[in-house]
Amino acid sequence: MTTQHTESSPLVRIRSLLPGLARAEQRVAKVVLDSPSTVARRSITEVAEAAGTSETTVTRFCKAIGVGGYPELRIALAADTARSEAHAERDLGGEISPDDDMATVVGKVTFADARAVEETAAQVDTETLLKVVEAVAAAGRVDVYGVGASAFVAADLQQKLHRIGRVSFAWSDTHIMLTSAAVLSRGDVAVGISHTGATADTVEALREARRAGATTVALTNFPTAPISEVADLVLTTAARETTFRSGATASRIAQLTVIDCLFIGVAQRHLNDTMKALDDTRDAVGSHRLETRHDGRRKARETGK
């Protein structure tokens, strides 16, 4: 797949590619991530020494993350630092301390979630997303796999597609994931959702779906993760997990952002059917909603007398 490098932050790309880098390149990545503004001012020799490696490795690292060389990396980091400073007033820092008061916790959580959405939007490959939209829109059936926190995202996609009349199922049990994948066929789509891209159950289900002939789609934070090896199309998020939040919050918000874009794209391709389905489903559940007044108080029910 092609990846949009021009608009996304170099730090976002480094974090997403980190698991797939060689060990020496990971040391360079850590130096960059720990203090990007400092690296922007350092020579390649100084960065190599700080990482305990060679200048050749630093150059190799630059190419691995999609920049031409070290001068280009310095320019990208300087620009990224300038953008960060422009938002300094709202950047509360990622790590949540046990001593933070509730107001600080709210500020840090909402900032991290907003940043996950912004960075995911900046780096999402719209060409790949369009291919996924077209595959799902034309699919006879869409199976969505996810476990843990990703299971809730899988259920959200299934519910959205089901509501506009698309045949879809969301599975989180390993055995059911595998059996559902085994009966898919050409023209069907299987979507595997995993923040790490290394969830064995999801990877195995996607592999089985591909073996059955279905088009396979991965949604992950790390494009070089194992799930990408069994996916025909890979969509990526850009979420940074912090204290108390591993795998459950910022990543889920980022995943839902991509899912919403995918759903809207599919809905556009079946606009008349979509609007009718939304109206019909709204009417179907209308009698199960309590009537309220504009002030939020419940209206009195009609008695018929």
Side-chain angles (χ1 to χ4, degrees), residues 186-265:
R186 188 172 300 279
D188 295 330
V189 172
V191 181
I193 302 173
S194 171
H195 173 69
T196 64
T199 306
D201 299 8
T202 306
V203 172
E204 190 176 356
L206 216 58
R207 179 181 292 110
E208 183 62 35
R210 174 186 261 185
R211 186 181 296 119
T215 298
T216 53
V217 179
L219 176 58
T220 179
N221 208 69
F222 304 100
T224 59
I227 197 170
S228 298
E229 299 174 4
V230 295
D232 299 311
L233 299 166
V234 180
L235 296 172
T236 56
T237 56
R240 287 180 263 184
E241 293 297 351
T242 58
T243 311
F244 307 125
R245 298 161 56 77
S246 180
T249 49
S251 62
R252 189 180 70 248
I253 295 296
Q255 290 169 345
L256 288 170
T257 298
V258 178
I259 291 302
D260 283 349
C261 294
L262 169 58
F263 166 71
I264 295 299

Side-chain angles (χ1 to χ4, degrees), residues 80-91:
D80 198 66
T81 298
R83 285 193 297 268
S84 297
E85 290 175 350
H87 296 287
E89 290 185 2
R90 68 186 182 96
D91 188 350

Side-chain angles (χ1 to χ4, degrees), residues 8-282:
S8 63
S9 162
L11 302 181
V12 171
R13 297 202 300 275
I14 292 169
R15 280 189 292 269
S16 69
L17 296 172
L18 187 59
L21 296 176
R23 187 166 300 178
E25 293 170 0
Q26 288 182 347
R27 293 201 301 272
V28 178
K30 186 176 186 306
V31 170
V32 175
L33 292 173
D34 285 348
S35 185
S37 60
T38 300
V39 172
R41 299 190 301 269
R42 283 183 170 182
S43 68
I44 188 172
T45 303
E46 291 173 319
V47 171
E49 290 176 354
T53 188
S54 65
E55 294 179 16
T56 301
T57 299
V58 176
T59 300
R60 199 161 53 237
F61 162 78
C62 293
K63 292 180 179 178
I65 64 168
V67 297
Y70 187 68
E72 289 82 358
L73 176 64
R74 289 182 63 189
I75 293 171
L77 291 175
D80 198 66
T81 298
R83 285 193 297 268
S84 297
E85 290 175 350
H87 296 287
E89 290 185 2
R90 68 186 182 96
D91 188 350
L92 302 174
E95 291 300 324
I96 299 173
S97 166
D99 299 325
D100 285 342
D101 59 29
M102 186 50 61
T104 302
V105 169
V106 171
K108 288 184 176 181
V109 169
T110 54
F111 173 76
D113 287 350
R115 182 173 58 185
V117 171
E118 291 171 358
E119 293 185 345
T120 293
Q123 61 79 55
V124 70
D125 186 339
T126 53
E127 290 184 8
T128 299
L129 180 58
L130 179 59
K131 291 177 181 178
V132 176
V133 166
E134 291 171 345
V136 171
R141 164 177 168 173
V142 179
D143 276 24
V144 194
Y145 311 127
V147 300
S150 294
F152 298 107
V153 180
D156 183 76
L157 175 57
Q158 185 273 334
Q159 188 271 342
K160 281 180 166 64
L161 293 176
H162 186 73
R163 190 176 175 190
I164 62 172
R166 312 306 299 167
V167 178
S168 59
F169 304 90
W171 310 110
S172 59
D173 178 272
T174 304
H175 287 199
I176 299 179
M177 287 161 65
L178 289 171
T179 54
S180 77
V183 297
L184 294 178
S185 59
R186 188 172 300 279
D188 295 330
V189 172
V191 181
I193 302 173
S194 171
H195 173 69
T196 64
T199 306
D201 299 8
T202 306
V203 172
E204 190 176 356
L206 216 58
R207 179 181 292 110
E208 183 62 35
R210 174 186 261 185
R211 186 181 296 119
T215 298
T216 53
V217 179
L219 176 58
T220 179
N221 208 69
F222 304 100
T224 59
I227 197 170
S228 298
E229 299 174 4
V230 295
D232 299 311
L233 299 166
V234 180
L235 296 172
T236 56
T237 56
R240 287 180 263 184
E241 293 297 351
T242 58
T243 311
F244 307 125
R245 298 161 56 77
S246 180
T249 49
S251 62
R252 189 180 70 248
I253 295 296
Q255 290 169 345
L256 288 170
T257 298
V258 178
I259 291 302
D260 283 349
C261 294
L262 169 58
F263 166 71
I264 295 299
V266 173
Q268 285 178 322
R269 277 152 183 74
H270 300 280
L271 188 58
N272 292 335
D273 290 341
T274 292
M275 298 311 297
K276 183 179 185 304
L278 290 175
D279 288 340
D280 290 345
T281 53
R282 186 184 301 110

